[in-house]
Amino acid sequence: MKVVLQNLTKKFPGRGRKNREDVIAVNDFSFEIPDGKLIGLLGPSGCGKSTTLNLISGLLKPTSGRIFFGGDDVTDLPPENRGIGLVFQNYALYPHLTVLQNILFPLQNLKGKDRLSKEEMLEKAGEAARLVQIDELMDRRPGELSGGQQQRVAIARALVKMPRVLLLDEPLSNLDARLRLQTREEIRRIQRQTGITTIFVTHDQEEAMSISDSIVVMKDGIVQQIGRPQEVYDEPVNLFVARFLGTPPINVFEGVIREGRLYLGKDAVLDAPGVCDQEVYVGIRPEGFALQEDGPLVCELRGVEVMGRDISVVCAHPASANPAVRAIVGTESNVDPQGGTVRFSLKPRKVFLFHKNTQVRIIPEKVQLRNVNR
Ligand code: ADP
Ligand code: MG
């Protein structure tokens, strides 16, 4: 089922004397979610992710804008008539009911022509339970399950009616790290298997990047960028998006363009032909550095962190906007942890320029960063 959001806006009126100003939780959000895809809605806490999801589910009414499922305008439909499945962070299971009864619950409320026989209900509940691999636990109560198992029950309950759209709001946040990893793979598998159009809300960029067909990055109610995860990582439209994606995070420097060359402090690090003289923010991905004895970027070494697969070289540079610069290099690299300075060359595709005032990326088509010809 294709989902279309058309100029979706949600304002919450300001309350009380102190905060009289309206909160615009979602601001003019337009997007077409293709049938059968998994979309990751990503952004820091308070950016409007849950509000967006609740507008799609019908739990909230938009201040303006329309929502379509396929060809149907569902904007004025109550949640129960939209054909959605909802999963929240805190499972929201009925504690006094067994797993089976929890999963059956949505089916028991079906009315009229949708009514099912007892056998049909049990069959559907069994199918949903098998999909999330909890069919062995049907007689337990939520209190007798681990967090991961409870969340599976919640997912089975959301799936049992075969919703047109599945909405997940930070479903993994209550799980420990290993289980989070495992459950997100499960969600991806189930989504592929069922082909249900799914919107997955998270503040965790790695989570969103790893399972989404496309991600939507939000800030302060406003969509910043939509694209395939790799595309957004490789071509961020602004400094916010560049900073939000990637671990370790992108390194930010205050730089200057002078006569077609990019300077970080006094180091002329790249050629930037065609860019007019100006101050810029420069983002360099941790993997954008290469150790080079006579490299143009001269840093002061602070330490070396071994990460197994590679090494993180931690250093300082006068033009860095952060106390530490982190460069990821291969384990074969010989960095003397005692050494005073390290020098790098930069990989131009991993370096982004941003306008100093707007923090908008300086358009890549117009910029051909190159290694300095010396
Ligand atoms: P997220 O899920 O991304 O953390 P939310 O969608 O919950 O963010 O909230 C977005 C903004 O809207 C926040 O500033 C929040 O305080 C505000 N907000 C959310 N719900 C309400 C509400 N019912 N009344 C007033 N403000 C709200
Ligand atoms: Mg939220």
Side-chain angles (χ1 to χ4, degrees):
M1 178 73 48
K2 182 172 86 174
V3 175
V4 179
L5 312 180
Q6 214 172 66
N7 307 104
L8 216 51
T9 295
K10 180 65 181 177
K11 263 186 218 170
F12 292 110
R15 286 207 200 95
R17 264 174 299 155
K18 273 200 180 144
N19 39 19
R20 237 177 248 175
E21 280 193 14
D22 293 350
V23 176
I24 307 179
V26 179
N27 195 342
D28 199 24
F29 190 163
S30 293
F31 183 39
E32 191 174 312
I33 302 163
D35 181 32
K37 296 292 182 198
L38 193 160
I39 301 302
L41 193 53
L42 176 65
S45 177
C47 73
K49 303 181 295 295
S50 294
T51 305
T52 304
L53 212 69
N54 292 338
L55 292 172
I56 299 171
S57 72
L59 293 173
L60 286 173
K61 268 198 150 335
T63 310
S64 59
R66 311 299 303 174
I67 301 164
F68 300 87
F69 286 3
D72 306 339
D73 185 336
V74 300
T75 319
D76 299 317
L77 284 185
E80 60 273 20
N81 296 346
R82 291 192 184 192
I84 45 155
L86 272 172
V87 178
F88 300 102
Q89 173 176 347
N90 57 0
Y91 326 134
L93 300 174
Y94 300 105
H96 57 288
L97 299 183
T98 63
V99 168
L100 176 62
Q101 289 166 334
N102 266 286
I103 300 174
L104 283 173
F105 196 83
L107 300 178
Q108 288 162 334
N109 290 322
L110 294 174
K111 304 258 155 60
K113 65 172 172 43
D114 295 329
R115 259 186 88 102
L116 298 174
S117 69
K118 186 118 199 267
E119 290 71 38
E120 287 170 317
M121 282 196 254
L122 285 173
E123 193 183 318
K124 281 183 186 286
E127 243 173 73
R130 273 192 297 282
L131 204 55
V132 299
Q133 297 170 346
I134 46 156
D135 41 326
E136 317 260 279
L137 307 171
M138 293 298 233
D139 298 326
R140 296 215 199 154
R141 283 174 218 281
E144 299 161 343
L145 300 175
S146 72
Q149 290 167 332
Q150 289 186 55
Q151 194 56 299
R152 281 161 195 256
V153 178
I155 295 169
R157 190 181 54 182
L159 288 173
V160 72
K161 276 204 284 184
M162 275 300 149
R164 302 200 283 177
V165 181
L166 181 63
L167 304 171
L168 306 149
D169 193 348
E170 313 239 10
L172 310 179
S173 299
N174 281 2
L175 308 181
D176 67 48
R178 187 178 289 261
L179 207 52
R180 231 174 13 241
L181 212 72
Q182 188 191 343
T183 314
R184 85 182 185 206
E185 283 161 14
E186 294 267 296
I187 289 177
R188 185 53 172 165
R189 174 184 61 77
I190 292 163
Q191 193 273 331
R192 285 234 168 89
Q193 219 166 318
T194 58
I196 299 174
T197 308
T198 300
I199 303 170
F200 182 101
V201 162
T202 177
H203 63 273
D204 181 333
Q205 55 91 23
E206 194 192 325
E207 201 167 282
M209 300 253 290
S210 64
I211 69 167
S212 308
D213 292 306
S214 289
I215 54 172
V216 177
V217 185
M218 284 182 87
K219 179 196 174 201
D220 299 338
I222 299 175
V223 171
Q224 305 290 302
Q225 189 167 3
I226 300 176
R228 283 183 290 109
Q230 193 68 53
E231 195 175 282
V232 179
Y233 183 82
D234 289 338
E235 305 288 350
V237 296
N238 60 34
L239 187 57
F240 173 82
V241 174
R243 275 194 155 129
F244 202 72
L245 299 186
T247 37
I250 196 163
N251 298 285
V252 180
F253 294 79
E254 296 190 29
V256 180
I257 303 285
R258 217 178 300 127
E259 292 170 5
R261 199 159 262 193
L262 170 62
Y263 290 85
L264 300 182
K266 58 181 172 29
D267 304 340
V269 291
L270 288 175
D271 277 337
V275 187
C276 11
D277 288 6
Q278 60 185 303
E279 291 184 7
V280 289
Y281 282 115
V282 183
I284 308 176
R285 294 274 180 219
E287 67 275 23
F289 299 83
L291 286 165
Q292 189 183 314
E293 254 171 52
D294 59 347
L297 183 70
V298 184
C299 295
E300 190 188 324
L301 186 66
R302 288 283 159 82
V304 173
E305 291 169 358
V306 178
M307 300 191 293
R309 186 190 44 190
D310 33 35
I311 296 173
S312 174
V313 180
V314 185
C315 45
H317 187 278
S320 171
N322 312 95
V325 176
R326 273 199 159 67
I328 305 284
V329 298
T331 45
E332 72 286 354
S333 320
N334 254 330
V335 188
D336 175 7
Q338 309 299 325
T341 58
V342 270
R343 301 181 68 138
F344 299 100
S345 61
L346 300 177
K347 301 173 191 168
R349 282 167 40 95
K350 295 288 182 182
V351 181
F352 310 124
L353 304 182
F354 304 92
H355 290 288
K356 195 73 184 250
N357 296 330
T358 58
Q359 306 195 354
V360 169
R361 173 115 178 260
I362 297 177
I363 304 168
E365 284 86 36
K366 292 195 187 149
V367 180
Q368 286 287 326
L369 295 175
R370 288 199 295 256
N371 281 306
V372 177
N373 235 332
R374 287 184 299 172

